Amino acid sequence: MSEHADPQPVPPASVVLVSGGSRGLGLAIVTDLVERGVRVAAFARTVTPELAKLAAEHSDRTHVDAVDVTDHAATSAFLRAAEQRLGPVDGLVNNAAVGQDSLHAHTAAEDIGRIVETNLTAPLRLTRLVVRRLLARGRRGRIVNVTSICAQRGFPGLVAYSATKGGMDAATRSLARELGGRMLVNAVAPGFFASEMSAVLGPTQLDQIVRRTPTGHLTEPAEVVPVVRMLLREQTNINGQVIVVDGAASV
Ligand SMILES: NC(=O)c1ccc[n+]([C@@H]2O[C@H](COP(=O)([O-])OP(=O)(O)OC[C@H]3O[C@@H](n4cnc5c(N)ncnc54)[C@H](OP(=O)(O)O)[C@@H]3O)[C@@H](O)[C@H]2O)c1
């Protein structure tokens, strides 16, 4: 079933919820938006000193808390509290995720469940929550899903993880069609970048990725952030797309 198309442009998001905003790429996205005057709600299971400091410095336009994205009641309560403080959320960045470093045959069944729950089920539920509130108010919005190049290219040790990212890429396309232009829904698929998640990669694997990358370096979070900002804030007709940011490593 698809909604009727709506030709009005979708305005820039002014209150953005970022999941997993405590460190790595999520913290970089939160910092960039806050420094540009955007009101930002961010959560992770632990509020790091870096996120707490940013929130304290910009207390008028931030709302942060410790929330597990797989806890539906807690994410709902966080969203309500964030909206009371900052106004209606009209931008969502599904960034929180857990990685994997195990061959599929050696991955415990519970670990597969946890990866799927965190990286696929939880963002779909959070998206549903945000979309329902926006539609109920007759408002428009922007959604950015942080996926991965792993959804498009094969990497050993990342089978369940890749499946979740491919699932989010597919959901991005279908939701963009379903929302009929009321919201712009896109995904950003970075190549490997240094973070706690990718710390499991050894120097040999990192060297190999760099050698395969025409731009000659690993992707930096700072090279992904402007693309996320553009999808949230700029007037474009980009919708239902997965934008790869990997220096052409996968081309
Ligand atoms: N690093 C890479 O090479 C790479 C490449 C392509 C795509 N990505 C994607 O980029 C995004 C950010 O990754 P990153 O490298 O910045 O990872 P990271 O440093 O491990 O950060 C992940 C963030 O998600 C949060 N998180 C994890 N599980 C959560 C849960 N159950 N509930 C709430 N928050 C949770 C973490 O905080 P807590 O642990 O405190 O909850 C943290 O804030 C992810 O979607 C990842 O899949 C990463």
Side-chain angles (χ1 to χ4, degrees):
M1 193 178 71
S2 84
E3 300 278 342
H4 294 298
D6 187 333
Q8 300 301 313
V10 179
S14 52
V15 182
V16 178
L17 170 54
V18 182
S19 71
S22 66
R23 60 170 193 262
L25 177 60
L27 180 64
I29 293 168
V30 171
T31 305
D32 176 72
L33 293 172
V34 168
E35 286 176 351
R36 282 172 165 75
V38 179
R39 283 165 281 159
V40 180
F43 69 79
R45 287 169 298 181
T46 304
V47 175
T48 55
E50 293 81 7
L51 181 59
K53 181 168 179 279
L54 185 73
E57 285 166 0
H58 303 277
S59 56
D60 54 326
R61 53 179 183 273
T62 53
H63 179 77
V64 306
D65 209 346
V67 173
D68 187 327
V69 75
T70 64
D71 181 341
H72 190 58
T75 52
S76 297
F78 175 84
L79 179 57
R80 280 195 303 275
E83 291 197 328
Q84 259 172 15
R85 191 179 162 98
L86 305 174
V89 167
D90 57 0
L92 171 64
V93 181
N94 280 310
N95 167 80
V98 287
Q100 183 182 5
D101 180 30
S102 55
L103 300 178
H104 194 56
H106 297 161
T107 305
E110 310 81 71
D111 287 340
I112 294 175
R114 182 181 53 89
I115 293 166
V116 172
E117 180 72 18
T118 309
N119 298 4
L120 183 60
T121 310
L124 289 179
R125 292 183 73 159
L126 184 58
T127 301
R128 173 181 178 272
L129 208 60
V130 170
V131 167
R132 282 170 70 94
R133 289 172 83 87
L134 278 168
L135 291 178
R137 295 177 174 126
R139 294 179 69 103
R140 292 146 188 283
R142 311 263 186 128
I143 296 168
V144 179
N145 295 318
V146 179
T147 63
S148 170
I149 194 57
C150 296
Q152 302 178 31
R153 295 286 181 272
F155 292 93
L158 288 168
V159 170
Y161 174 84
S162 303
T164 63
K165 295 300 182 176
M168 288 305 292
D169 280 355
T172 298
R173 289 183 282 272
S174 290
L175 188 61
R177 290 213 72 92
E178 189 175 296
L179 288 171
R182 285 170 183 77
M183 291 169 214
L184 298 180
V185 187
N186 292 290
V188 175
F192 288 95
F193 56 85
S195 76
E196 214 165 286
M197 185 180 285
S198 58
V200 293
L201 295 175
T204 320
Q205 286 164 298
L206 291 176
D207 279 355
Q208 201 179 9
I209 294 166
V210 170
R211 265 189 279 113
R212 276 172 43 181
T213 306
T215 54
H217 66 277
L218 278 189
T219 301
E220 298 281 342
E223 296 169 321
V224 181
V225 164
V227 182
V228 175
R229 186 201 317 138
M230 184 242 328
L231 294 172
L232 290 169
R233 301 279 299 161
E234 297 299 325
Q235 198 58 59
T236 76
N237 201 23
I238 302 173
N239 197 16
Q241 300 302 312
V242 179
I243 301 180
V244 175
V245 185
D246 74 341
S250 59
V251 170

